[in-house]
Amino acid sequence: DAGETRLDVRDLHAWYGESHVLHGMTLNVGAGEIVTLIGRNGAGKTTTMRAIMGILRKREGAIRYRDVDIIALAPHKVPRLGIGYVPEERGIFASLSVTENLMLPPVTRQDGMSIEEIHTLFPNLKGRARTVGTRLSGGEQQMLAIARILRTGADFILLDEPTEGLAPVIVDQIAASLKVLKDRGLTILLVEQNLQFAAAIADRHYVVEQGAVIDEVANHALAANIDKLNAYLGV
Ligand code: ATP
């Protein structure tokens, strides 16, 4: 069913209190695609993810996942549809070991990835099984955060700046792991400032400015304009 729309966001508005932050965000993600949101700091990329997950409650517009209107759902019901969210701050248990992190909730569905599959996907985590979160490198923490979501059986994953602050060699490892996930049929919506990384893995990109999509860019066009886009983003 490649090409079928998984996530369909239309004319989404969202507010932090009285502050109107999303101004008619419209985007879609097809089954098996990797799509990125790019844009300057404060453009509304993280807010879009929080609004999709229902963590940010004050919203108007339409958010459909498969055929479910998820804007009407309580936030704890959204992951049960197979949608996983890895926030920028990662959300791992710092005082627990890698294995303990992988055994704890959210394990919301039966069809989650096994520990063995996680170790194949992220070999770094295998050697760190007994290491507590605080002693992991930034890259290992990011891998663990993604792994925890894969344990839930999520097949649609929202990833907020997974490469932020990571060394280039680790960024390449995460790119390779995300490509494996795509080959396995997972669908990914990614917030990303590292355009080299985005170009290496994504199919399409949306440019976000002031809480709305202002442009859609095919991956070949992004790859050909990285310097120009970096200047626009100010990175
Ligand atoms: P960044 O990469 O800096 O996170 P972003 O594109 O993800 O950028 P958002 O974090 O979504 O941007 O922020 C969008 C707007 O909402 C910004 O103007 C920001 O100041 C504002 N904002 C973000 N979080 C809150 C909050 N908790 N309360 C009020 N305003 C917020």
Side-chain angles (χ1 to χ4, degrees):
D1 58 358
E4 169 202 320
T5 299
R6 276 281 180 278
L7 178 72
D8 189 19
V9 176
R10 286 198 199 164
D11 197 26
L12 178 65
H13 291 251
W15 291 259
Y16 286 107
E18 295 297 301
S19 176
H20 189 175
V21 173
L22 297 188
H23 299 267
M25 180 74 65
T26 295
L27 61 92
N28 61 73
V29 185
E33 272 195 306
I34 299 182
V35 173
T36 70
L37 303 180
I38 63 178
R40 296 190 183 105
N41 288 337
K45 306 176 300 292
T46 297
T47 303
T48 301
M49 292 198 160
R50 293 170 55 86
I52 291 168
M53 294 308 291
I55 298 164
L56 179 57
R57 299 300 296 161
K58 199 167 172 190
R59 300 162 296 167
E60 277 176 18
I63 310 173
R64 297 189 74 80
Y65 181 72
R66 293 176 185 261
D67 276 322
V68 181
D69 173 16
I70 62 175
I71 212 162
L73 294 182
H76 69 277
K77 294 202 169 151
V78 174
R80 293 183 194 166
L81 300 174
I83 307 177
Y85 175 45
V86 183
E88 211 171 342
E89 62 276 15
R90 297 174 184 146
I92 62 170
F93 295 98
S95 62
L96 300 181
S97 73
V98 166
T99 300
E100 286 165 340
N101 265 280
L102 293 174
M103 299 305 288
L104 281 168
V107 180
T108 46
R109 302 203 315 177
Q110 301 285 316
D111 48 354
M113 236 183 229
S114 68
I115 303 273
E116 290 71 28
E117 287 174 295
I118 297 288
H119 286 168
T120 304
L121 186 64
F122 296 115
N124 307 38
L125 293 182
K126 189 174 184 179
R128 305 288 265 159
R130 292 157 170 272
T131 305
V132 294
T134 46
R135 301 186 69 97
L136 299 175
S137 68
E140 289 162 346
Q141 289 180 15
Q142 184 62 53
M143 291 171 191
L144 179 57
I146 298 170
R148 269 172 51 73
I149 294 306
L150 296 171
R151 291 280 288 155
T152 70
D155 61 2
F156 187 105
I157 301 183
L158 305 172
L159 282 177
D160 197 346
E161 294 207 43
T163 68
E164 200 189 13
L166 304 184
V169 61
I170 307 296
V171 171
D172 290 347
Q173 288 173 11
I174 291 179
S177 302
L178 296 185
K179 281 184 194 165
V180 170
L181 293 176
K182 180 180 164 73
D183 289 344
R184 291 175 63 139
L186 271 77
T187 307
I188 299 174
L189 179 62
L190 182 74
V191 167
E192 193 48 68
Q193 301 273 24
N194 180 338
L195 298 185
Q196 300 283 359
F197 171 79
I201 63 167
D203 298 292
R204 293 186 290 130
H205 313 267
Y206 288 109
V207 182
V208 177
E209 197 171 294
Q210 294 181 347
V213 167
I214 59 157
D215 201 5
E216 182 184 337
V217 184
N219 198 43
H220 64 84
L222 180 112
N225 290 289
I226 285 188
D227 290 345
K228 213 168 97 186
L229 283 161
N230 273 333
Y232 161 74
L233 294 175
V235 296

